[in-house]
Amino acid sequence: MKKKISFILFFFTTIAVTFSQNYELGKVTIDELKQKNHPKDSSASAAILFKIGETNFFLGSPNWTVSTEVKFKIKIYKKEGFEFANKALYYYVGGAKDEKIRFKNAVTYNLVNGEIEKTELNSDGKLIENIDKDYSLKKIVMPQVREGSIIEYSYILNSTNITFLRDWYFQESIPVDFSQYKISIPSIFVYRSVLTGFEKVEEKSESINGHDYMRHKVTYVAKNVPAIKEEEYVNHIENYTSILKYELVSLILKNSPTINYAVTWEDVFKTIYGNDNFGSQLELKKYFEKDLDNILLGITNSQDKVEAIYNFVKNKMSWNKEASVFTDVGVSKAYELQTGNVAEINLMLTAMLQYAGLKADPVLLSTRNNGIAIFPNRTAFNYVISVVNIDGKLIYLDATEKKSVINQIPLRALNWKGRTVKKEGSSQEIDLLNVPISKETFSVRAEITDEGKTIGKLRKTFSDYFSLSFRNKFNEFSREIYLDEMENKHKGLNILEYNLENFKDLKRPITEAFDFSHDNDVEVVGDKIFLNPMMFLGEEENPFKAENRNYPVDFSFPFKKVYNISIKIPERYEVEFLPQNIHIQTNDNFGNFKYLIAQSGNDIQLAVTKEISKFYVPSESYSELKKLYKLITEKYKERIFLKKKVQ
């Protein structure tokens, strides 16, 4: 794990750099407006020419304020880049720590008849939207945007929340030519700073005298930062984006003891458990006692108790799609409403397990879209499940996922590591990567017709996460829509007599079976037939196209796919050529591919196994993985040659 983390986080020491460049708004040139493409990325629809930010602290009364001013200059190259001419910012309006945002200097520049035309943003382009009781959104929509435009604007964000500063993105989905961020921190605050990603960021720090406190001033600069681009099998692209994060660790006031906010994981967990919307919720029992007593009546076995309570909560409660380690309305109210966030449902589940005399504790996780919990901080985790210890065997439960079973954490929360937390604030790390291999097994019996079609029967079995994913997908669509989607995906496929087994029996693997005909497997040329024995089951292209890759490959879960295919060839034909058998493994055995084909009378027997046994494949193994998938996709396209028998 530590080896993987080292590829995600880089801590840069102070180095000598030149910070003398002067980037100002209002200095647009004709040459900049004439530029048709980004010089380093011709595919870019837009680019940030510069992004300058500065954060300062004002320690006045009644509240301390953190003020950040940010200036943008953006070039639009293509219509697809018009979205970057707009800017939307969320800000907190929920009470004691309200934030304020003010946009200014918003101008669109265009080249018209060889002259620079300047259009300022008016009030019509400024929008405010109330998101919920805690957050609003302020947005600007720039005027007169067209291909070739340059956009400039700035904003000031004032906040009384000194605990978490806004993240600074050195890298975006479009190229960033120059990014600079300055922060001046009074000596009474101790912050932890972390820089994620792979791009080079230069840093210069100095201590200066302020009128109230000594201040630690840090300047960060990144140049020619390429766009961060989504690739296949990435769990969350922000995990690998170059971002600067600051979190308050401690507060050092004169003549007062130091106040620690997040120094160790134990500090973090004590804070979380001590929150009324977490630990106190586990103490509440009266709201469910009567119902649970009826559910548990006559059940004495611990495993049976777990099953009964887990199914009761799953069936009674509906998840409102909100992830949090803290309750919103509280477990009692959520129980009454029969809906709640993750914390309400799974803290409720944990409390019921404890009430039944089981050793149960909450487990804190970070979802895939929340990133990886690497260093101690209070926002590292945003999800909570439950764990039960029965005679040393740990059972993980999440009652928000109605289609899951015991010990099946939803994929959204299956993210590296989690931590079990106890009442006294102690914790224990758990490994979330150790999940069983999910399997898909295909059994096909087919034959080639005289018309050059393939007809046959297919039986497919799903287990574990394949089964969960199928249940969730199939639950969203009707059978007709699902079958239409499958037929549209595989041109020439016609599905008949479709049958689905064990869909509602969550403990058993799902099986689907159907008759089929397929037009695109066979090509007849003169007295020869060219047949693709993988038919419509093979992958058509290698998903790994990039030459190199900085990010690990995330397959969501380890898997194994097995194909057993039997194809009867026409009596009037004989085999002229069969593909070669191969068996290949990657060096550290995370990937395995076996392709065995043979003839038995008029039948072709094909047995194929593809297995990826690792949850994550590190970036240093990317080249080997790419080669493996290249071989697999090529093998899936290979054909059998048949020729007419000589009469």
Side-chain angles (χ1 to χ4, degrees):
M1 184 56 150
K2 290 181 179 178
K3 183 177 180 181
K4 291 182 178 177
I5 291 173
S6 68
F7 282 88
I8 296 172
L9 294 181
F10 291 85
F11 296 82
F12 291 91
T13 56
T14 301
I15 57 175
V17 293
T18 301
F19 293 86
S20 59
Q21 295 92 339
N22 185 19
Y23 292 87
E24 297 180 11
L25 298 178
K27 303 293 184 181
V28 175
T29 67
I30 290 177
D31 286 341
E32 287 176 323
L33 289 167
K34 283 183 175 180
Q35 192 179 66
K36 299 296 184 183
N37 298 294
H38 189 268
K40 294 184 179 295
D41 183 357
S42 60
S43 67
S45 62
I48 297 174
L49 303 184
F50 69 71
K51 176 185 176 184
I52 310 291
E54 184 168 358
T55 296
N56 289 289
F57 290 71
F58 298 95
L59 307 183
S61 179
N63 295 312
W64 294 332
T65 302
V66 182
S67 181
T68 300
E69 182 171 8
V70 183
K71 302 174 183 178
F72 277 92
K73 183 177 183 179
I74 300 171
K75 171 72 177 182
I76 307 297
Y77 293 108
K78 303 173 184 177
K79 290 180 180 178
E80 294 78 9
F82 286 3
E83 63 180 293
F84 297 102
N86 307 324
K87 182 69 175 179
L89 289 168
Y90 291 92
Y91 60 104
Y92 184 74
V93 293
K97 294 184 177 181
D98 280 3
E99 296 177 323
K100 291 181 172 58
I101 290 177
R102 180 166 62 94
F103 282 97
K104 60 179 185 176
N105 304 318
V107 180
T108 302
Y109 296 90
N110 288 300
L111 192 62
V112 180
N113 298 324
E115 300 290 333
I116 297 177
E117 179 184 83
K118 177 179 176 182
T119 308
E120 296 184 359
L121 178 69
N122 58 34
S123 58
D124 293 338
K126 298 179 180 180
L127 309 172
I128 296 177
E129 179 181 347
N130 294 322
I131 304 301
D132 55 35
K133 61 183 175 62
D134 291 326
Y135 288 92
S136 289
L137 180 143
K138 188 169 284 190
K139 181 179 181 179
I140 57 171
V141 179
M142 298 300 293
Q144 297 297 319
V145 177
R146 61 193 71 158
E147 293 180 50
S149 296
I150 287 179
I151 309 301
E152 291 188 341
Y153 60 85
S154 65
Y155 66 83
I156 296 176
L157 169 66
N158 291 325
S159 175
T160 57
N161 184 358
I162 62 169
T163 307
F164 298 101
L165 307 184
R166 293 283 179 111
D167 294 344
W168 183 264
Y169 284 70
F170 289 101
Q171 195 169 25
E172 308 273 357
S173 60
I174 55 176
V176 180
D177 292 354
F178 184 84
S179 180
Q180 176 180 278
Y181 179 68
K182 294 181 179 180
I183 184 169
S184 181
I185 305 173
S187 58
I188 62 172
F189 302 119
V190 178
Y191 281 88
R192 176 188 290 111
S193 64
V194 176
L195 188 63
T196 66
F198 303 90
E199 299 306 316
K200 180 181 178 182
V201 178
E202 299 171 327
E203 177 185 339
K204 184 178 76 172
S205 62
E206 58 182 325
S207 295
I208 56 176
N209 285 314
H211 68 277
D212 44 9
Y213 296 96
M214 287 289 293
R215 293 179 179 251
H216 181 62
K217 187 174 182 179
V218 190
T219 304
Y220 302 87
V221 168
K223 303 173 185 177
N224 300 318
V225 181
I228 188 81
K229 296 182 179 180
E230 291 279 0
E231 295 189 30
E232 293 284 348
Y233 300 103
V234 174
N235 66 347
H236 184 49
I237 196 65
E238 281 207 5
N239 289 340
Y240 315 108
T241 303
S242 290
I243 307 171
L244 178 65
K245 303 172 182 286
Y246 268 86
E247 186 200 15
L248 185 64
V249 173
S250 56
L251 183 62
I252 306 172
L253 297 172
K254 294 177 181 178
N255 305 317
S256 299
T258 298
I259 302 173
N260 293 323
Y261 289 88
V263 177
T264 66
W265 282 122
E266 283 65 34
D267 295 325
V268 171
F269 298 134
K270 284 178 181 177
T271 301
I272 292 174
Y273 212 105
N275 191 296
D276 288 341
N277 293 320
F278 189 90
S280 298
Q281 302 295 312
L282 292 168
E283 305 299 322
L284 303 175
K285 302 286 195 300
K286 287 185 178 181
Y287 67 94
F288 64 69
E289 284 181 348
K290 184 177 179 180
D291 290 340
L292 199 62
D293 287 343
N294 290 330
I295 294 294
L296 296 176
L297 191 65
I299 301 177
T300 57
N301 180 273
S302 294
Q303 182 71 37
D304 292 341
K305 286 183 179 180
V306 171
E307 293 264 5
I309 295 170
Y310 176 60
N311 289 328
F312 171 65
V313 177
K314 269 203 312 178
N315 293 330
K316 181 177 181 64
M317 301 299 297
S318 294
W319 180 41
N320 62 13
K321 306 302 180 185
E322 292 183 9
S324 177
V325 298
F326 299 117
T327 61
D328 184 13
V329 300
V331 289
S332 298
K333 186 65 174 177
Y335 189 81
E336 177 188 339
L337 297 172
Q338 299 188 40
T339 184
N341 68 11
V342 164
E344 282 152 353
I345 292 174
N346 285 328
L347 290 179
M348 178 191 303
L349 171 65
T350 306
M352 290 182 182
L353 293 165
Q354 292 173 347
Y355 176 81
L358 299 164
K359 295 179 180 178
D361 293 295
V363 178
L364 300 182
L365 308 176
S366 176
T367 58
R368 290 169 177 264
N369 61 11
N370 190 57
I372 300 165
I374 297 172
F375 61 91
N377 72 95
R378 282 160 292 156
T379 60
F381 299 104
N382 70 328
Y383 203 92
V384 58
I385 62 171
S386 184
V387 62
V388 183
N389 188 329
I390 299 179
D391 299 327
K393 180 183 177 182
L394 299 181
I395 301 172
Y396 297 102
L397 306 166
D398 183 347
T400 67
E401 184 64 73
K402 291 187 180 294
K403 301 296 182 184
S404 68
V405 295
I406 282 175
N407 267 332
Q408 191 174 54
I409 300 171
L411 289 176
R412 59 178 171 270
L414 200 61
N415 191 29
W416 289 61
K417 291 184 181 293
R419 283 183 177 263
T420 302
V421 290
K422 298 182 179 295
K423 187 173 183 179
E424 65 273 14
S426 64
S427 69
Q428 182 176 358
E429 189 174 73
I430 61 169
D431 187 357
L432 300 178
L433 302 184
N434 187 24
V435 296
I437 291 177
S438 298
K439 296 180 181 178
E440 275 187 334
T441 302
F442 301 78
S443 297
V444 180
R445 178 67 183 174
E447 64 178 281
I448 303 171
T449 68
D450 291 336
E451 294 79 24
K453 286 186 177 183
T454 307
I455 60 172
K457 296 179 181 292
L458 180 146
R459 186 174 180 85
K460 180 180 177 182
T461 302
F462 311 79
S463 75
D464 298 296
Y465 282 107
F466 282 130
S467 187
L468 175 61
S469 298
F470 182 88
R471 284 188 171 100
N472 283 335
K473 181 177 181 180
F474 200 93
N475 199 52
E476 294 177 2
F477 306 110
S478 67
R479 176 177 297 204
E480 290 72 21
I481 292 175
Y482 170 73
L483 295 179
D484 285 345
E485 184 182 88
M486 196 188 307
E487 290 178 339
N488 290 333
K489 180 180 178 182
H490 305 290
K491 300 300 182 185
L493 177 64
N494 185 32
I495 297 174
L496 304 167
E497 303 296 327
Y498 182 84
N499 185 44
L500 188 62
E501 301 173 12
N502 304 327
F503 181 76
K504 293 183 179 180
D505 188 349
L506 304 184
K507 291 184 178 181
R508 299 183 64 185
I510 288 177
T511 297
E512 63 175 355
F514 55 83
D515 295 347
F516 70 88
S517 65
H518 193 222
D519 294 341
N520 292 343
D521 303 324
V522 177
E523 183 182 4
V524 180
V525 180
D527 63 349
K528 293 190 177 184
I529 291 177
F530 301 95
L531 165 67
N532 180 355
M534 285 298 295
M535 297 178 285
F536 55 90
L537 302 176
E539 297 169 48
E540 295 181 357
E541 59 181 35
N542 186 351
F544 306 109
K545 299 181 177 63
E547 191 66 30
N548 299 296
R549 179 165 169 146
N550 289 327
Y551 333 127
V553 176
D554 172 23
F555 283 105
S556 297
F557 52 87
F559 64 88
K560 183 177 184 178
K561 295 189 176 186
V562 177
Y563 304 84
N564 293 304
I565 299 171
S566 176
I567 303 175
K568 183 179 180 181
I569 64 175
E571 292 286 346
R572 295 179 296 122
Y573 285 82
E574 60 184 358
V575 174
E576 183 180 43
F577 170 80
L578 287 178
Q580 279 190 323
N581 294 334
I582 64 166
H583 183 198
I584 185 169
Q585 288 181 306
T586 57
N587 288 334
D588 54 359
N589 295 326
F590 68 80
N592 177 44
F593 180 68
K594 186 183 293 184
Y595 183 104
L596 301 175
I597 192 167
Q599 179 183 4
S600 177
N602 268 22
D603 287 340
I604 305 295
Q605 307 289 345
L606 176 63
V608 177
T609 302
K610 183 177 81 170
E611 182 175 357
I612 300 294
S613 60
K614 275 190 177 181
F615 197 107
Y616 284 89
V617 177
S619 56
E620 57 265 38
S621 299
Y622 173 72
S623 177
E624 191 174 5
L625 179 67
K626 181 182 176 182
K627 289 178 183 177
L628 174 67
Y629 264 76
K630 182 176 184 292
L631 183 148
I632 291 172
T633 51
E634 289 175 350
K635 204 68 183 172
Y636 284 166
K637 293 176 183 177
E638 287 189 353
R639 295 186 173 194
I640 298 169
F641 298 175
L642 305 177
K643 66 177 181 180
K644 278 187 180 179
K645 295 177 181 177
V646 177
Q647 299 299 323

